[in-house]
Amino acid sequence: MAKIAVLAGDGIGPEIIAEGLKVLKAVAPQHGLDLEFTEALVGGAAYDATGHPLPPETLELVQNSDAIFFGAVGGPQYDIIPDPNLRPERGALLPLRKKLGLYANLRPCILYSALSSACPLRADLVQGGFDILVVRELTGGLYFGQPKSWEGDNAIDTCLYSREEITRILHVAFKAAQKRPTKRVVSVDKANVMETSRLWRDTATKIAAEYPDVELTHQLVDATAMDLVRRPQSFDVIVTENLFGDILSDEAAQLTGSLGMLPSASLGQGTFGLYEPSHGSAPDIAGTGKANPLATILSAALLLRYSLGAEAAALQIEKAVESVLNAGHRTGDIAETPDTKIVTCTEMGDLVVAAL
C-alpha cells in the first residue's frame, strides 16, 4: 500500500485537490494500485487552527508517507503576519522542501495542440506545439541563503550555492535529457555578474563531460526569458537555480495557455516527492468553481510516475487530459474565445475521469 499525504492548503487548494484525488481513485484500481490517502492541515488553514503553517503532526505525517499531494498555500490575509517565518509560503512550503531534501523541481511545460490558440504568441512561433522541461534547483540560492534580514531602510538576501548543490541538480537535468528525443540541455545563469553563476557554469561544463550524448548550451537568464517568447521550440530541458527557475517556469507556463496547466514534481534522493500545481492559491476565485484542476490532475500523473513507478497509469491520466482538451472542454483560464463553452472545476475533473 502506498501512503499519500494530502495537504490541500488554502484558497482553491481544496477544490483542485478534490479533483486530483477523484482521478487517482479512478485510475488506481485499473492498474492494481493500493493507495491510502491521509489529509492534514498546511499553510494558512494550519496557521488559523494551530498557530503555525506547518504543525508537527503534519510534518510527522509527510515523513511517514510515500508522497505528498499538495494544493496551494497563502492569501492576502496572511501577508500581514508580523513574523515572516509564520507566513504560509515561508513557514510551510519552503521548510517542507528543505526538511525533506526535495532539491529538484521538475516542471513540464507542454503546449497541447488543442490549446495552440490559447498561447499568447503568434501562431507561426508555436506551430506544432512544444515540450519544455524546466529543472529548477529548489533548496538553495536567495530563498534559503543566510543572512536574511530587513532592518530600517536596508534589506539583505544572500545567494549561496555550493558545488555539491549544483552538481546534483545538473545530474537530474542531464539524465532527464537522455530520455528525451533531442537530448539538449540549456543551463541558465547570470555568469556575467554573479559569482554563484560563475560556479554554476563551471560545474555545468564539467558535468556535461559525463554525458557525451547530451548537448549543453550556456545561456544568460535575461536572454533565456527573451528566447522563451521569441523561439520556445528551441528549448528542450532548461536547468537553473532557484530564483531564475521560479520566474522562467511561470513564463513558460503562460505559453502553454495558462499557469493552470503546469504540474510540478519536487524530488530528492529516492522515490519520495511532493506533487503540486505550479500556480498559487488564487483566493479571488476560491469557491466559485472557476479554478482549473488540470495542473493538479497532471501532478497526480507525475506522482504515479516518479514516486510509485506506475508509468502506465501516469500515461493514462495524461492521455485522458489531452482527450478532454481535444473535445473542446475548457475552464475559463484556457477559453480561447468568448463563446467557448466553459466547464467548472468539478465538471473538468468528472470529464477526465470519464476519459480514463
Side-chain angles (χ1 to χ4, degrees), residues 56-338:
E57 53 268 31
T58 297
L59 187 57
E60 181 180 2
L61 170 66
V62 301
Q63 290 174 328
N64 290 288
S65 299
D66 297 299
I68 304 171
F69 197 34
F70 195 95
V73 295
Q77 69 270 43
Y78 305 111
D79 293 340
I80 59 174
I81 295 174
D83 184 350
N85 292 313
L86 293 179
R87 295 170 191 165
E89 295 86 353
R90 187 161 160 182
L93 192 52
L94 297 186
L96 270 177
R97 293 169 179 169
K98 196 73 171 180
K99 290 177 184 294
L100 300 173
L102 304 176
Y103 63 84
N105 184 235
L106 278 59
R107 295 187 175 187
C109 303
I110 300 171
L111 177 61
Y112 293 93
S113 58
L115 291 181
S116 58
S117 59
C119 176
L121 301 183
R122 293 198 323 259
D124 60 298
L125 296 177
V126 294
Q127 187 174 10
F130 56 77
D131 182 348
I132 303 170
L133 177 63
V134 179
V135 180
R136 168 190 171 193
E137 201 290 321
L138 205 57
T139 58
L142 279 169
Y143 292 178
F144 291 95
Q146 296 295 331
K148 183 185 294 287
S149 66
W150 176 13
E151 297 179 3
D153 294 331
N154 296 291
I156 297 173
D157 287 295
T158 301
C159 188
L160 177 66
Y161 269 109
S162 68
R163 191 179 294 274
E164 179 184 5
E165 289 175 308
I166 299 168
T167 295
R168 65 185 184 182
I169 192 66
L170 286 166
H171 279 301
V172 172
F174 278 99
K175 288 175 181 177
Q178 285 182 317
K179 299 176 183 178
R180 294 166 67 88
T182 61
K183 296 181 172 58
R184 291 183 289 109
V185 170
V186 174
S187 177
V188 177
D189 58 44
K190 192 64 176 170
N192 56 338
V193 295
M194 293 178 63
E195 292 303 311
T196 49
S197 282
R198 286 166 57 82
L199 175 63
W200 185 286
R201 184 170 293 205
D202 180 74
T203 306
T205 300
K206 292 175 179 175
I207 297 299
E210 301 179 31
Y211 300 87
D213 56 330
V214 177
E215 176 189 347
L216 170 66
T217 302
H218 299 288
Q219 190 163 15
L220 297 177
V221 63
D222 42 348
T224 304
M226 178 181 68
D227 280 346
L228 274 172
V229 296
R230 188 178 65 164
R231 48 190 187 101
Q233 292 173 328
S234 68
F235 293 101
D236 182 10
V237 175
I238 295 173
V239 60
T240 189
E241 58 102 77
N242 207 341
L243 175 63
F244 298 161
D246 196 356
I247 296 168
L248 292 177
S249 60
D250 278 11
E251 181 188 10
Q254 188 56 46
L255 301 185
T256 69
S258 169
L259 193 57
M261 293 299 302
L262 193 69
S264 80
S266 299
L267 309 172
Q269 300 297 334
T271 59
F272 184 85
L274 183 153
Y275 303 88
E276 61 176 323
S278 297
H279 57 69
S281 61
D284 56 320
I285 61 169
T288 66
K290 295 180 180 180
N292 183 350
L294 292 181
T296 306
I297 291 170
L298 291 168
S299 295
L302 297 182
L303 185 156
L304 294 172
R305 173 172 292 123
Y306 292 116
S307 284
L308 304 187
E311 179 65 18
L315 285 173
Q316 186 177 351
I317 291 176
E318 290 164 348
K319 290 178 180 177
V321 168
E322 188 169 11
S323 69
V324 168
L325 293 172
N326 288 341
H329 303 294
R330 303 285 187 270
T331 47
D333 61 312
I334 51 174
E336 299 97 327
T337 62

